[in-house]
Amino acid sequence: MTLLRLVVLFGVAVVMALDNGLARTPPMGWSSWNTFRCDINEALILETAEKMISEGMRDAGYVYVNIDDCWSLHQRNASGYLVEDPAKFPHGIRYLADYLHKRGMKLGLYNAAGAWTCQGYPGSYHYEKQDAELFASYDVDFWKQDWCAVELGQDPRVSYPVLRDAVNATGHPMVLSICEYGLKEVWTWGPTTGNMWRTTNDISDSWDRWTYILEAQAAITGFSGPGGWNDMDMLVVGMGGQPDGHYQAHFSLWALLNSPLIAGNDVRKMTAATREILLNGEVIAVNQDPLGIQGTRIWQSFLKEQEVWARPLTGGMYAAVLLNRDEAKPRDVTLKLADLPPVPGTPAGQVTAAMVRDLWAHADLGTFQGQYTAKVPARSAVMITLRPACTRMCVRAPCECDS
Ligand code: GLA
């Protein structure tokens, strides 16, 4: 998808484009914010990167190491440039970029579109050009631009394109991560402006919070795709506030819905269960599927406690998550094969039988006619892929048709 926007200016059509060729699949990495807040420094970044390598995270696709808020001094220098805090980053930010690049990883850095960042460090407002030049000189690969301390009336539909154009002007490609919490229906203009855009306020390490973010996706799943993604916010997997079953459900849904997978835990102290969740290659493969079609909710129970989300994958396959929100009881959740969402432009309701694979049990479950039902524990999810065994057109032989 080429991301172009035509604007007519004095009768002349001007092409405004993001089209930076980046983030063709959802970016994966780690960010300092969820666990470390402002308590960040060079040692933390280096130790985290090394641990991501030794734990296999880098090779599983988590290549961005993102420094969030609080990395600069509180004042710009006399020429208007941000200055990295020498107490936190004694060798500077460029040193970290060089280090990460040698290790096959990438560096992300943060700022905000207003006068100040959310933690009170200097923001980019009126300094977009200097900041883009500085980030380019640091060899930054990923720029998260927040939305704090904005002027009354400041419009994200104006501010983020200013930043995009400043970045483009440097000739230094950077993933542009828009973080304005879903204001002004960012998903409608995000694709021409950035590579990902937050859709809600911040996540926190609780079931209620991440299911609220999930709920917000239901109406906007059509806007996400290669080069530009609905960002459901950084992961809270392994932060310690929820049982592993909740984290497994959270990770399953972030993967199915094509959210960038940016871990937020202390990867230096991962439990075996956290490792198994973040490093489940079958779930990651769904997230990284090259078709990049976001999962949609295809069924919800009357009381809205059970639901099924699904999406098509390349190769005629499908993936689905069967979610049970019930706090106390396991529940049967049924996916009807006729409800599987097809690749856009192809007929719906074609699959009549499918071979099902459980991505958390890593097990083939056999062929199911018409529907598949799983008993899903309280506040948990089952994630599966489906390979059609028979369709109404009966194109895939041998067919085990139900009619
Ligand atoms: C906002 C963002 C968070 C984080 C903090 C940093 O709240 O949404 O993701 O970057 O700012 O201050």
Side-chain angles (χ1 to χ4, degrees), residues 326-347:
D326 191 307
E327 205 171 340
K329 296 195 190 87
R331 296 283 187 185
D332 281 346
V333 182
T334 296
L335 177 160
K336 291 200 171 66
L337 300 182
D339 292 342
L340 284 171
V343 173
T346 65

Side-chain angles (χ1 to χ4, degrees), residues 33 68-69 110 118-119 144 146 179 181 198 202 234:
W33 180 251
D68 208 278
D69 207 345
Y110 164 101
C118 299
Q119 301 304 314
K144 172 176 170 182
D146 214 330
C179 178
Y181 330 123
R198 284 270 300 279
D202 291 13
M234 301 166 292

Side-chain angles (χ1 to χ4, degrees), residues 304-334:
K304 304 190 170 173
E305 290 209 310
Q306 289 77 42
E307 51 199 75
V308 178
W309 294 74
R311 62 184 278 185
L313 299 173
T314 44
M317 302 254 308
Y318 297 85
V321 173
L322 286 64
L323 176 67
N324 179 16
R325 295 182 187 239
D326 191 307
E327 205 171 340
K329 296 195 190 87
R331 296 283 187 185
D332 281 346
V333 182
T334 296

Side-chain angles (χ1 to χ4, degrees), residues 25-29 34 62 196-217 224 229-237 242 246-264 277-278 283-289 293-295 307 309 311 320-321 323 325 360 381 383:
T25 62
M28 293 174 65
N34 280 356
Y62 296 90
M196 52 196 268
W197 44 86
R198 284 270 300 279
T199 57
T200 64
N201 287 321
D202 291 13
I203 198 168
S204 61
D205 188 9
S206 82
W207 170 273
D208 287 347
R209 193 64 187 167
W210 72 253
T211 52
Y212 142 79
I213 295 175
L214 173 69
E215 200 53 42
Q217 304 309 303
S224 189
W229 308 97
N230 283 338
D231 176 7
M232 295 162 71
D233 205 355
M234 301 166 292
L235 297 162
V236 293
V237 174
Q242 299 175 65
H246 295 196
Y247 287 142
Q248 190 172 305
H250 159 48
F251 191 71
S252 302
L253 286 152
W254 262 232
L256 191 88
L257 272 70
N258 275 346
S259 181
L261 297 179
I262 309 291
I277 295 170
L278 290 176
V283 174
I284 291 172
V286 171
N287 179 258
Q288 297 290 303
D289 182 80
I293 298 173
Q294 186 172 2
E307 51 199 75
W309 294 74
R311 62 184 278 185
V321 173
L323 176 67
R325 295 182 187 239
W360 289 108
M383 185 165 186

Side-chain angles (χ1 to χ4, degrees), residues 3-256:
L3 304 171
L4 294 176
R5 188 169 60 149
L6 280 174
V7 172
V8 178
L9 205 61
F10 307 118
V12 181
V14 180
V15 177
M16 303 193 60
L18 172 67
D19 205 18
N20 59 8
L22 300 174
R24 305 308 298 168
T25 62
M28 293 174 65
W30 172 87
S31 162
S32 57
W33 180 251
N34 280 356
T35 294
F36 297 97
R37 305 280 150 162
C38 285
D39 191 13
I40 53 173
N41 57 48
E42 182 179 291
L44 171 71
I45 301 304
L46 295 177
E47 282 167 25
T48 299
E50 284 306 319
K51 200 69 180 174
M52 288 170 77
I53 295 168
S54 62
E55 293 282 7
M57 286 180 73
R58 177 195 62 187
D59 293 347
Y62 296 90
V63 294
Y64 290 97
V65 178
N66 294 350
I67 302 173
D68 208 278
D69 207 345
C70 310
W71 60 270
S72 77
L73 290 177
H74 277 101
Q75 298 299 331
R76 291 177 179 271
N77 68 17
S79 320
Y81 288 93
L82 295 166
V83 181
E84 61 263 87
D85 182 340
K88 291 175 181 165
F89 298 102
H91 294 95
I93 300 293
R94 173 70 197 230
Y95 168 81
L96 288 175
D98 291 346
Y99 183 97
L100 291 169
H101 293 155
K102 281 196 200 105
R103 301 294 274 148
M105 302 184 91
K106 294 174 187 291
L107 178 71
L109 200 57
Y110 164 101
N111 208 1
W116 306 100
T117 73
C118 299
Q119 301 304 314
Y121 292 83
S124 292
Y125 196 44
H126 297 318
Y127 289 93
E128 291 85 358
K129 188 169 171 290
Q130 280 99 327
D131 289 357
E133 282 169 14
L134 184 73
F135 278 38
S137 76
Y138 284 162
D139 212 2
V140 162
D141 305 289
F142 179 113
W143 183 337
K144 172 176 170 182
Q145 187 77 332
D146 214 330
W147 188 250
C148 277
V150 292
E151 241 181 24
L152 197 63
Q154 195 179 331
D155 190 328
R157 293 168 297 186
V158 174
S159 296
Y160 285 96
V162 168
L163 184 74
R164 171 203 63 198
D165 295 344
V167 170
N168 278 349
T170 68
H172 184 94
M174 294 177 225
V175 169
L176 191 51
S177 165
I178 299 172
C179 178
E180 49 80 281
Y181 330 123
L183 298 170
K184 306 279 184 198
E185 300 187 324
V186 60
W187 39 88
T188 59
W189 49 272
T192 54
T193 309
N195 296 106
M196 52 196 268
W197 44 86
R198 284 270 300 279
T199 57
T200 64
N201 287 321
D202 291 13
I203 198 168
S204 61
D205 188 9
S206 82
W207 170 273
D208 287 347
R209 193 64 187 167
W210 72 253
T211 52
Y212 142 79
I213 295 175
L214 173 69
E215 200 53 42
Q217 304 309 303
I220 58 169
T221 53
F223 296 94
S224 189
W229 308 97
N230 283 338
D231 176 7
M232 295 162 71
D233 205 355
M234 301 166 292
L235 297 162
V236 293
V237 174
M239 287 178 63
Q242 299 175 65
D244 293 320
H246 295 196
Y247 287 142
Q248 190 172 305
H250 159 48
F251 191 71
S252 302
L253 286 152
W254 262 232
L256 191 88

